[in-house]
Amino acid sequence: MEMREELLNLLKQHAYKKGEFTLSSGRTSEHYCNCKPVTLSGQGLLLTSCMLLECIKPSVRAVAGLTLGADPLVSGVIMASYEAVLHSDLNGLIVRKKPKGHGTGAWIEGPLPEKGSEIAILEDVITTGGSAIQAAEKVRDAGYIVNDVIAIVDRQENNEAYDLMESSNLELTSLYKLEELT
């Protein structure tokens, strides 16, 4: 089975639910997508990481994401890049929701590349784009270039995420649209 189809089947079986749900944005929806049961399994993380890696431009020096949803994605993609030797110098960064409460007070954890390097943001599910934009802003504030957000699933919320990304000078790429999971 093709990698894309295999991951789609895992997402349909383990990430998607239909019912009545309140999303993190506070909105209600009949569709719920939680990719963690997929990205926290060996098979799911391997498939996801390989597919995300294919979307990363060669100019990118690191991938980053807001903790918790992006943690397995960042780790998986840097491991896949090392194995594939496509981006052998690709590193991973985790962006905190609040600065570290002790020590350096850091917002970003991981091996920081040279200032001015290009970093791509990874996200599991995009609804409004708020988490990805928050991560991008913190990475930019630290002196890096962020042009791309790469997500597993775009919930297709009336193009709101695309509009917000565009206003933040970010390009959104998603592996799947919600309609493919339903």
Side-chain angles (χ1 to χ4, degrees), residues 126 129 132-133 149 160-170 172:
I126 293 281
I133 291 169
V149 173
E160 182 177 358
Y162 286 93
D163 293 342
L164 286 172
M165 294 285 169
E166 187 176 321
S167 69
S168 297
N169 295 314
L170 294 166
L172 175 60

Side-chain angles (χ1 to χ4, degrees), residues 99-158:
K100 191 173 182 177
H102 57 282
T104 62
W107 279 94
I108 301 170
E109 295 294 341
L112 298 172
E114 183 178 317
K115 298 285 184 189
S117 296
E118 190 174 344
I119 296 174
I121 302 298
L122 303 180
E123 183 67 276
D124 55 357
V125 179
I126 293 281
T127 301
T128 64
S131 294
I133 291 169
Q134 181 183 351
E137 287 172 353
K138 290 300 173 198
V139 171
R140 285 174 172 164
D141 289 348
Y144 301 101
I145 298 166
V146 181
N147 297 318
D148 300 297
V149 173
I150 307 163
I152 301 171
V153 178
D154 172 8
R155 287 186 45 83
Q156 301 173 281
E157 294 286 319
N158 301 322

